[in-house]
Amino acid sequence: MRFMLLFSRQGKLRLQKWYTATAERDKKKMVRDLMQIVLARKPKMCSFLEWRDLKIVYKRYASLYFCCAVEEQDNELITLEVIHRFVELLDKYFGSVCELDIIFNFEKAYFILDEFLMGGEIQDTSKKSVLKAIEQSDLLRIYFNKADA
Amino acid sequence: MPAVSKGDGMRGLAVFISDIRNCKSKEAEIKRINKELANIRSKFKGDKALDGYSKKKYVCKLLFIFLLGHDIDFGHMEAVNLLSSNKYTEKQIGYLFISVLVNSNSDLIRLINNAIKNDLSSRNPVSMNLALHCIANVGSKEMAEAFAAEIPRILVAGNTVDSVKQSAALCLLRLNRTSPDLIPMGEWTARVVHLLNDQHLGVVTAAVSLITTLAQKSPDDFKTSISLAVARLSRIVTSAAIDLQDYTYYFVAAPWLSVKLLRLLQCYPPPEDAGLRSRLTECLVTILNKAQEPPKSKKVQHSNAKNAVLFEAIALIIHHDSEPTLLVRACNQLGQFLQHRETNLRYLALESMCTLASSEFSHEAVKTHIETVINALKTERDVSVRQRAVDLLYSMCDRSNAKQIVAEMLSYLENADYSIREEIVLKVAIQAEKYAVDYTWYVDTILNLIRVAGDYVSEEVWYRVIQIVINRDDVQGYAAKTVFETLQAPACHENLVKVGGYILGEFGNLIAGDSRSSPLVQFNLLHSKFHLCSVPTRALLLSAYIKFINLFPEVKPTIQEVLRSDSQLRNADVELQQRAVEYLRLSCIASTDILATVLEEMPPFPERESSILAKLKKKKGSSAKLPDIDETRRQVNGSTEHSANNGTANTSPPLLLEDLLPTSRPRPYSSSPILLSASTMGSAHSFTADMLNLTSTPAAAAAAAVGGGGGGLLVDVFSENSTSPSVDVSEDHLERFVCKNNGILYENQLLQIGLKSEYRQNLGRMYLFYGNKTSIQFLSFTSSVTNNTSQSQLIVQAKPVDPMIEGGAQVQQTLNIECVSEFTDAPELTIIFRYGGNPQHIAVKLPVMLNKFFQPTEMTSQDYFQRWKQLGAPQQEVQKIFKAKYPMDSDATKAKIIGFGVALLDGVDPNPANFVGAGVVHTKTSQVGCLLRLEPNTQAQMYRLTLRTSREPVSHTLLELLCEQF
């Protein structure tokens, strides 16, 4: 996977994760172009499209679009389920996740994504394993916060 | 587990985020952000040391601001400080900041690497994971250098915990992608392969990704992974879904791992070991079978995961391309998906079938779905799905269904989305050519294509139809008739006018017998489009007109009238003007034979790869790749279908990517007019060499130009002799030959030397006639040429002459002359013979001067003065005022100027008494344009001669030669 974007229906970027080195200027342009294309698509259209030399796999959950750019030979359907599994992880962690959770706890959204995907590849597909990793860090956090107090 | 309430929230951050959200305008947001940046900056700079929590909070705020799209130019140091915090949350935020915002600030990288090193050696899995994540996220070369040796060690160490192994594997994968040369292969590779056997499926999942990447790089090192991957895959597909517990996803057993294993196997050919191979086949059959089972869940996630594995299995089947039954089963399965209610599945089925069409085993099976695919093209509401349908139709096309597919694609084209029209046009054009059995169908198809989607027809397409028509004489008449009919439409696309102009110009004669398409009707039809066309098309039409003059002498006056009109001869566009002038001139001066040679039908184009195919490849790397694979694969398999194709034009060597037709059309001003007119079709192809034989074999060409050569000329020379009263053999004889090429070069009591010469461009041929005026024979007669100038300027080759000349007889000698670069000194002819026992020695200068290599250039007054100005540098102009040696007769002067070799330009100089000329001196190495002006002053019996050329020595030489003439 080359990159993953989360953006709202209004075209606000909520999360971006790049798995190849890309210049900031190019990133901004790619995000703009891609948002425009994806937002213009109608609900019944298919979730895949060709874009430059990449395949775009996207899915909308409520007000948020999850959008992955994968390489030519990558599997579209499994990428779609990568998105779904990520949504499930967010949901489990935040409890009925909504856009606001991701806005106010953006750093946690990044942590969860990092536990799930690394270098653009799935690190672990088990929900339990991923959440255990997150929980562990949360436990540590509580521990330290208590120690601070 | 509502983490938000976990009490670690950074209140300040939450307040800041909601402030930003409450901003009503972009300006307000920027204001708020600037305020916050100022605040953070002052905190960071302040005297009071910040505690970890505050540091974390501010760094997090900076990160938020950056992610909003604003630039951040500070805070990196504070983030780096957080890395070495012993509190996890602070470390975590520090790493996140570094991952997102790191730049190649070398000082920082060193500090960051230090922190990472500490964490990697901490033996604390949580810290190690953070460090590995950071390396993977940044993935820079510096990090690869620092940790390339360390990470493999962590990966294969016996005591590394699973989660760290996973991170290490993927971290290594990422570094391998960014800096593959830095990852050392070694004994760890064998141990990595064995991670495929690991108990922990998460470790296996991460490891397969790594192994796949490494196996693509060096397949041999990872061959052992094949059997392990097959074993693992087999265990997964045969397991009951629940066995895998958390790795079961919506009742599908480990779909991610399955997909990855199938991907890994696509790095290799089918296993050689029969047992292994049958085990793999079993797996694939099981996956195909499962697709037929009723779904275990109605959730889309279930079917997606299941089909993800299925599509990857089909990809492997296609990759192996060795099991006909599997290929056909795959095709049938995809056929079912073609009509599935899920758009995603229809899309993927079309995509996947596209590759299946290229296998000889399944090509026929794919073809059975043609109606469904055509239907998809017509009914799919999503353009990306229709695009896949176009691709598939293109791949499944062969001789049996080409007419149907081309017809469907053409009709789709009428309403197709603009974004994909050009590609469809290219595909239709390629198919029409590739599968054309009868070329009338091909011509019809391409003309239709231009009619339906003219704007999307690129040059390559209409070039190609012309190449094919020119190369196939069985279709030329039909093509002429069809373009003629198509051009009848009141509104034609310009591309059609181009094709029409070209084809009628070449083959209009084939339909001229019919009074409805008589030459004049054809010409009027083309000319009715002329004024609506762009300059390049008009240029092409002008060429078609001159070709008409050759084909149909009866329309010559009409066409000359058109060429002569001001709108052509004085056209503001130089190219059009030049063509009009040259063609008009050519039509006036050239004999029918010369016209027929110059304007001969185009020779066949060399057979090469279709320029269109090259264009399609260039345009669409991905989708054009498919038919490409198709070509090579079928070639390998030696299928009959393919060898049948070999007869057609585009299956020649696929490497020649350059277009057949060079697209550059402008030509340098300095080329000779005759040559210019020879490149009639301008943009078409360079056939100048063939047309005049001038550039290819200069000597032969000169000979041909002279024509008869031999004895007949002798008569001419001497008949001229009789009209020339002067038998003066003084030393200044050279002067007399500056402006003429024929005459008596030398004469004494014994010998007369006659001369006739011809020049074309930088080449010349001179015939010398030695006449024995006595009744006694000349013996030991030799004549040789001494060239005072170097071979790099002028080359003169004399053919040997008969050593004996009978009394009263004449002998001819031929000299070939080539002007290599500008020169001043004329070569010398030395003649030695014995007359009555007395040796005779005669030396004569040969009249070979620089001006002999002039080609006259006609130009308008406007052009003349424009170029005059361009040659305005002081050293480019030479001038001489001299006294008249001969009577100042205007006609004689004109004759001399023309004889000098330049074109005499009437009406250029405002003063009609002045003479103005223009020409180009051709040498082998360069061409020098020359403008001259002669101003007579009859009262004073003086002349003023001014010359401008781009080269100073040339100006001087020419001036010295010319000023002696008047």
Side-chain angles (χ1 to χ4, degrees), chain B residues 810-834:
Chain B
Q810 282 131 6
V811 165
Q812 180 195 329
Q813 184 178 33
T814 309
L815 309 180
N816 285 328
I817 303 157
E818 182 177 7
C819 175
V820 183
S821 64
E822 68 226 20
F823 64 98
T824 45
D825 286 346
E828 207 169 77
L829 181 71
T830 310
I831 298 156
I832 300 167
F833 62 93
R834 295 174 70 84

PDB file of all heavy atoms in Angstrom, chain B residues 810-834:
ATOM      1  N   GLN B 810      38.597  15.075 -82.190  1.00  0.00           N
ATOM      2  CA  GLN B 810      38.354  15.624 -80.862  1.00  0.00           C
ATOM      3  C   GLN B 810      38.246  14.499 -79.836  1.00  0.00           C
ATOM      4  O   GLN B 810      37.727  13.437 -80.122  1.00  0.00           O
ATOM      5  CB  GLN B 810      37.069  16.453 -80.842  1.00  0.00           C
ATOM      6  CG  GLN B 810      37.247  17.813 -81.430  1.00  0.00           C
ATOM      7  CD  GLN B 810      36.150  18.112 -82.426  1.00  0.00           C
ATOM      8  OE1 GLN B 810      35.211  17.349 -82.599  1.00  0.00           O
ATOM      9  NE2 GLN B 810      36.289  19.241 -83.108  1.00  0.00           N
ATOM     10  N   VAL B 811      38.731  14.805 -78.648  1.00  0.00           N
ATOM     11  CA  VAL B 811      38.653  13.832 -77.558  1.00  0.00           C
ATOM     12  C   VAL B 811      37.998  14.498 -76.358  1.00  0.00           C
ATOM     13  O   VAL B 811      38.218  15.677 -76.103  1.00  0.00           O
ATOM     14  CB  VAL B 811      40.067  13.324 -77.190  1.00  0.00           C
ATOM     15  CG1 VAL B 811      40.050  12.623 -75.851  1.00  0.00           C
ATOM     16  CG2 VAL B 811      40.594  12.420 -78.275  1.00  0.00           C
ATOM     17  N   GLN B 812      37.181  13.705 -75.662  1.00  0.00           N
ATOM     18  CA  GLN B 812      36.444  14.286 -74.524  1.00  0.00           C
ATOM     19  C   GLN B 812      37.012  13.795 -73.212  1.00  0.00           C
ATOM     20  O   GLN B 812      37.405  12.633 -73.081  1.00  0.00           O
ATOM     21  CB  GLN B 812      34.971  13.881 -74.621  1.00  0.00           C
ATOM     22  CG  GLN B 812      34.122  14.429 -73.488  1.00  0.00           C
ATOM     23  CD  GLN B 812      32.780  13.717 -73.423  1.00  0.00           C
ATOM     24  OE1 GLN B 812      32.262  13.277 -74.444  1.00  0.00           O
ATOM     25  NE2 GLN B 812      32.240  13.609 -72.226  1.00  0.00           N
ATOM     26  N   GLN B 813      37.022  14.659 -72.246  1.00  0.00           N
ATOM     27  CA  GLN B 813      37.423  14.265 -70.885  1.00  0.00           C
ATOM     28  C   GLN B 813      36.357  14.752 -69.898  1.00  0.00           C
ATOM     29  O   GLN B 813      35.854  15.874 -70.021  1.00  0.00           O
ATOM     30  CB  GLN B 813      38.779  14.875 -70.531  1.00  0.00           C
ATOM     31  CG  GLN B 813      39.272  14.394 -69.164  1.00  0.00           C
ATOM     32  CD  GLN B 813      40.634  14.966 -68.823  1.00  0.00           C
ATOM     33  OE1 GLN B 813      40.954  16.092 -69.216  1.00  0.00           O
ATOM     34  NE2 GLN B 813      41.437  14.198 -68.094  1.00  0.00           N
ATOM     35  N   THR B 814      36.067  13.898 -68.933  1.00  0.00           N
ATOM     36  CA  THR B 814      35.038  14.254 -67.945  1.00  0.00           C
ATOM     37  C   THR B 814      35.694  14.520 -66.594  1.00  0.00           C
ATOM     38  O   THR B 814      36.563  13.762 -66.160  1.00  0.00           O
ATOM     39  CB  THR B 814      34.031  13.106 -67.779  1.00  0.00           C
ATOM     40  OG1 THR B 814      33.585  12.737 -69.071  1.00  0.00           O
ATOM     41  CG2 THR B 814      32.857  13.518 -66.925  1.00  0.00           C
ATOM     42  N   LEU B 815      35.271  15.582 -65.946  1.00  0.00           N
ATOM     43  CA  LEU B 815      35.758  15.895 -64.595  1.00  0.00           C
ATOM     44  C   LEU B 815      34.567  15.906 -63.630  1.00  0.00           C
ATOM     45  O   LEU B 815      33.550  16.520 -63.924  1.00  0.00           O
ATOM     46  CB  LEU B 815      36.430  17.274 -64.555  1.00  0.00           C
ATOM     47  CG  LEU B 815      37.510  17.609 -65.565  1.00  0.00           C
ATOM     48  CD1 LEU B 815      38.022  19.028 -65.335  1.00  0.00           C
ATOM     49  CD2 LEU B 815      38.659  16.620 -65.425  1.00  0.00           C
ATOM     50  N   ASN B 816      34.763  15.237 -62.534  1.00  0.00           N
ATOM     51  CA  ASN B 816      33.744  15.322 -61.481  1.00  0.00           C
ATOM     52  C   ASN B 816      34.245  16.273 -60.407  1.00  0.00           C
ATOM     53  O   ASN B 816      35.377  16.178 -59.950  1.00  0.00           O
ATOM     54  CB  ASN B 816      33.480  13.953 -60.856  1.00  0.00           C
ATOM     55  CG  ASN B 816      32.657  13.094 -61.800  1.00  0.00           C
ATOM     56  OD1 ASN B 816      31.821  13.608 -62.554  1.00  0.00           O
ATOM     57  ND2 ASN B 816      32.911  11.794 -61.771  1.00  0.00           N
ATOM     58  N   ILE B 817      33.359  17.166 -59.993  1.00  0.00           N
ATOM     59  CA  ILE B 817      33.774  18.216 -59.069  1.00  0.00           C
ATOM     60  C   ILE B 817      32.867  18.189 -57.853  1.00  0.00           C
ATOM     61  O   ILE B 817      31.643  18.071 -57.975  1.00  0.00           O
ATOM     62  CB  ILE B 817      33.676  19.602 -59.751  1.00  0.00           C
ATOM     63  CG1 ILE B 817      34.537  19.589 -61.011  1.00  0.00           C
ATOM     64  CG2 ILE B 817      34.085  20.707 -58.802  1.00  0.00           C
ATOM     65  CD1 ILE B 817      34.119  20.621 -62.013  1.00  0.00           C
ATOM     66  N   GLU B 818      33.478  18.304 -56.728  1.00  0.00           N
ATOM     67  CA  GLU B 818      32.662  18.400 -55.524  1.00  0.00           C
ATOM     68  C   GLU B 818      33.190  19.542 -54.668  1.00  0.00           C
ATOM     69  O   GLU B 818      34.374  19.614 -54.355  1.00  0.00           O
ATOM     70  CB  GLU B 818      32.711  17.098 -54.712  1.00  0.00           C
ATOM     71  CG  GLU B 818      31.837  17.162 -53.483  1.00  0.00           C
ATOM     72  CD  GLU B 818      31.793  15.858 -52.679  1.00  0.00           C
ATOM     73  OE1 GLU B 818      32.566  14.929 -53.019  1.00  0.00           O
ATOM     74  OE2 GLU B 818      31.016  15.800 -51.730  1.00  0.00           O
ATOM     75  N   CYS B 819      32.290  20.415 -54.305  1.00  0.00           N
ATOM     76  CA  CYS B 819      32.667  21.523 -53.451  1.00  0.00           C
ATOM     77  C   CYS B 819      32.441  21.112 -52.000  1.00  0.00           C
ATOM     78  O   CYS B 819      31.321  20.852 -51.593  1.00  0.00           O
ATOM     79  CB  CYS B 819      31.835  22.748 -53.798  1.00  0.00           C
ATOM     80  SG  CYS B 819      32.137  24.121 -52.698  1.00  0.00           S
ATOM     81  N   VAL B 820      33.503  21.012 -51.245  1.00  0.00           N
ATOM     82  CA  VAL B 820      33.385  20.546 -49.860  1.00  0.00           C
ATOM     83  C   VAL B 820      33.128  21.727 -48.938  1.00  0.00           C
ATOM     84  O   VAL B 820      32.271  21.685 -48.063  1.00  0.00           O
ATOM     85  CB  VAL B 820      34.651  19.782 -49.432  1.00  0.00           C
ATOM     86  CG1 VAL B 820      34.500  19.249 -48.020  1.00  0.00           C
ATOM     87  CG2 VAL B 820      34.941  18.647 -50.402  1.00  0.00           C
ATOM     88  N   SER B 821      33.884  22.771 -49.127  1.00  0.00           N
ATOM     89  CA  SER B 821      33.612  23.986 -48.366  1.00  0.00           C
ATOM     90  C   SER B 821      34.046  25.166 -49.242  1.00  0.00           C
ATOM     91  O   SER B 821      34.578  24.987 -50.334  1.00  0.00           O
ATOM     92  CB  SER B 821      34.363  23.969 -47.037  1.00  0.00           C
ATOM     93  OG  SER B 821      35.749  23.977 -47.275  1.00  0.00           O
ATOM     94  N   GLU B 822      33.853  26.359 -48.760  1.00  0.00           N
ATOM     95  CA  GLU B 822      34.117  27.531 -49.594  1.00  0.00           C
ATOM     96  C   GLU B 822      35.601  27.597 -49.980  1.00  0.00           C
ATOM     97  O   GLU B 822      36.468  27.188 -49.219  1.00  0.00           O
ATOM     98  CB  GLU B 822      33.722  28.794 -48.838  1.00  0.00           C
ATOM     99  CG  GLU B 822      34.622  29.062 -47.652  1.00  0.00           C
ATOM    100  CD  GLU B 822      33.829  29.426 -46.419  1.00  0.00           C
ATOM    101  OE1 GLU B 822      32.633  29.115 -46.357  1.00  0.00           O
ATOM    102  OE2 GLU B 822      34.407  30.034 -45.532  1.00  0.00           O
ATOM    103  N   PHE B 823      35.867  28.110 -51.197  1.00  0.00           N
ATOM    104  CA  PHE B 823      37.251  28.154 -51.670  1.00  0.00           C
ATOM    105  C   PHE B 823      37.424  29.402 -52.527  1.00  0.00           C
ATOM    106  O   PHE B 823      36.432  30.021 -52.946  1.00  0.00           O
ATOM    107  CB  PHE B 823      37.569  26.891 -52.480  1.00  0.00           C
ATOM    108  CG  PHE B 823      36.764  26.773 -53.743  1.00  0.00           C
ATOM    109  CD1 PHE B 823      37.303  27.171 -54.962  1.00  0.00           C
ATOM    110  CD2 PHE B 823      35.456  26.295 -53.715  1.00  0.00           C
ATOM    111  CE1 PHE B 823      36.547  27.077 -56.117  1.00  0.00           C
ATOM    112  CE2 PHE B 823      34.714  26.199 -54.880  1.00  0.00           C
ATOM    113  CZ  PHE B 823      35.247  26.598 -56.080  1.00  0.00           C
ATOM    114  N   THR B 824      38.659  29.776 -52.799  1.00  0.00           N
ATOM    115  CA  THR B 824      38.896  30.965 -53.608  1.00  0.00           C
ATOM    116  C   THR B 824      39.649  30.637 -54.897  1.00  0.00           C
ATOM    117  O   THR B 824      39.350  31.192 -55.948  1.00  0.00           O
ATOM    118  CB  THR B 824      39.702  32.022 -52.821  1.00  0.00           C
ATOM    119  OG1 THR B 824      40.778  31.357 -52.168  1.00  0.00           O
ATOM    120  CG2 THR B 824      38.821  32.704 -51.805  1.00  0.00           C
ATOM    121  N   ASP B 825      40.640  29.731 -54.818  1.00  0.00           N
ATOM    122  CA  ASP B 825      41.481  29.497 -55.989  1.00  0.00           C
ATOM    123  C   ASP B 825      40.898  28.445 -56.914  1.00  0.00           C
ATOM    124  O   ASP B 825      40.462  27.391 -56.466  1.00  0.00           O
ATOM    125  CB  ASP B 825      42.880  29.043 -55.545  1.00  0.00           C
ATOM    126  CG  ASP B 825      43.668  30.203 -54.979  1.00  0.00           C
ATOM    127  OD1 ASP B 825      43.232  31.359 -55.180  1.00  0.00           O
ATOM    128  OD2 ASP B 825      44.693  29.954 -54.339  1.00  0.00           O
ATOM    129  N   ALA B 826      40.949  28.735 -58.210  1.00  0.00           N
ATOM    130  CA  ALA B 826      40.458  27.773 -59.186  1.00  0.00           C
ATOM    131  C   ALA B 826      41.529  26.720 -59.443  1.00  0.00           C
ATOM    132  O   ALA B 826      42.729  27.011 -59.373  1.00  0.00           O
ATOM    133  CB  ALA B 826      40.105  28.487 -60.485  1.00  0.00           C
ATOM    134  N   PRO B 827      41.127  25.482 -59.730  1.00  0.00           N
ATOM    135  CA  PRO B 827      42.118  24.438 -60.038  1.00  0.00           C
ATOM    136  C   PRO B 827      42.755  24.681 -61.411  1.00  0.00           C
ATOM    137  O   PRO B 827      42.240  25.458 -62.219  1.00  0.00           O
ATOM    138  CB  PRO B 827      41.276  23.166 -60.032  1.00  0.00           C
ATOM    139  CG  PRO B 827      39.873  23.605 -60.258  1.00  0.00           C
ATOM    140  CD  PRO B 827      39.752  24.999 -59.759  1.00  0.00           C
ATOM    141  N   GLU B 828      43.854  24.004 -61.637  1.00  0.00           N
ATOM    142  CA  GLU B 828      44.609  24.234 -62.855  1.00  0.00           C
ATOM    143  C   GLU B 828      44.658  22.969 -63.700  1.00  0.00           C
ATOM    144  O   GLU B 828      44.837  21.874 -63.165  1.00  0.00           O
ATOM    145  CB  GLU B 828      46.039  24.642 -62.496  1.00  0.00           C
ATOM    146  CG  GLU B 828      46.703  25.504 -63.542  1.00  0.00           C
ATOM    147  CD  GLU B 828      47.998  26.074 -62.980  1.00  0.00           C
ATOM    148  OE1 GLU B 828      48.975  25.314 -62.926  1.00  0.00           O
ATOM    149  OE2 GLU B 828      48.025  27.250 -62.577  1.00  0.00           O
ATOM    150  N   LEU B 829      44.506  23.134 -65.001  1.00  0.00           N
ATOM    151  CA  LEU B 829      44.545  22.005 -65.915  1.00  0.00           C
ATOM    152  C   LEU B 829      45.913  22.007 -66.609  1.00  0.00           C
ATOM    153  O   LEU B 829      46.336  23.025 -67.149  1.00  0.00           O
ATOM    154  CB  LEU B 829      43.432  22.150 -66.952  1.00  0.00           C
ATOM    155  CG  LEU B 829      43.279  21.054 -67.990  1.00  0.00           C
ATOM    156  CD1 LEU B 829      42.745  19.781 -67.371  1.00  0.00           C
ATOM    157  CD2 LEU B 829      42.358  21.531 -69.114  1.00  0.00           C
ATOM    158  N   THR B 830      46.608  20.872 -66.543  1.00  0.00           N
ATOM    159  CA  THR B 830      47.918  20.786 -67.182  1.00  0.00           C
ATOM    160  C   THR B 830      47.858  19.781 -68.325  1.00  0.00           C
ATOM    161  O   THR B 830      47.435  18.638 -68.122  1.00  0.00           O
ATOM    162  CB  THR B 830      48.975  20.327 -66.167  1.00  0.00           C
ATOM    163  OG1 THR B 830      48.857  21.150 -65.014  1.00  0.00           O
ATOM    164  CG2 THR B 830      50.368  20.447 -66.749  1.00  0.00           C
ATOM    165  N   ILE B 831      48.255  20.215 -69.511  1.00  0.00           N
ATOM    166  CA  ILE B 831      48.183  19.332 -70.684  1.00  0.00           C
ATOM    167  C   ILE B 831      49.589  19.161 -71.264  1.00  0.00           C
ATOM    168  O   ILE B 831      50.307  20.135 -71.488  1.00  0.00           O
ATOM    169  CB  ILE B 831      47.247  19.926 -71.746  1.00  0.00           C
ATOM    170  CG1 ILE B 831      45.832  20.032 -71.164  1.00  0.00           C
ATOM    171  CG2 ILE B 831      47.231  19.089 -73.016  1.00  0.00           C
ATOM    172  CD1 ILE B 831      45.007  21.061 -71.842  1.00  0.00           C
ATOM    173  N   ILE B 832      49.952  17.929 -71.448  1.00  0.00           N
ATOM    174  CA  ILE B 832      51.261  17.631 -72.023  1.00  0.00           C
ATOM    175  C   ILE B 832      51.075  16.672 -73.188  1.00  0.00           C
ATOM    176  O   ILE B 832      50.338  15.681 -73.059  1.00  0.00           O
ATOM    177  CB  ILE B 832      52.192  16.994 -70.964  1.00  0.00           C
ATOM    178  CG1 ILE B 832      52.383  17.954 -69.799  1.00  0.00           C
ATOM    179  CG2 ILE B 832      53.530  16.621 -71.589  1.00  0.00           C
ATOM    180  CD1 ILE B 832      53.015  17.310 -68.593  1.00  0.00           C
ATOM    181  N   PHE B 833      51.668  16.962 -74.304  1.00  0.00           N
ATOM    182  CA  PHE B 833      51.623  16.027 -75.441  1.00  0.00           C
ATOM    183  C   PHE B 833      52.790  16.303 -76.386  1.00  0.00           C
ATOM    184  O   PHE B 833      53.502  17.304 -76.232  1.00  0.00           O
ATOM    185  CB  PHE B 833      50.279  16.127 -76.160  1.00  0.00           C
ATOM    186  CG  PHE B 833      49.983  17.482 -76.766  1.00  0.00           C
ATOM    187  CD1 PHE B 833      50.302  17.774 -78.103  1.00  0.00           C
ATOM    188  CD2 PHE B 833      49.405  18.478 -75.994  1.00  0.00           C
ATOM    189  CE1 PHE B 833      50.017  19.011 -78.638  1.00  0.00           C
ATOM    190  CE2 PHE B 833      49.132  19.719 -76.541  1.00  0.00           C
ATOM    191  CZ  PHE B 833      49.424  20.001 -77.863  1.00  0.00           C
ATOM    192  N   ARG B 834      52.966  15.402 -77.310  1.00  0.00           N
ATOM    193  CA  ARG B 834      54.040  15.583 -78.297  1.00  0.00           C
ATOM    194  C   ARG B 834      53.418  15.859 -79.654  1.00  0.00           C
ATOM    195  O   ARG B 834      52.530  15.154 -80.110  1.00  0.00           O
ATOM    196  CB  ARG B 834      54.913  14.339 -78.357  1.00  0.00           C
ATOM    197  CG  ARG B 834      55.668  14.071 -77.074  1.00  0.00           C
ATOM    198  CD  ARG B 834      56.400  12.743 -77.162  1.00  0.00           C
ATOM    199  NE  ARG B 834      57.521  12.814 -78.107  1.00  0.00           N
ATOM    200  CZ  ARG B 834      58.728  13.290 -77.756  1.00  0.00           C
ATOM    201  NH1 ARG B 834      58.942  13.694 -76.521  1.00  0.00           N
ATOM    202  NH2 ARG B 834      59.702  13.331 -78.639  1.00  0.00           N
TER     203      ARG B 834
END
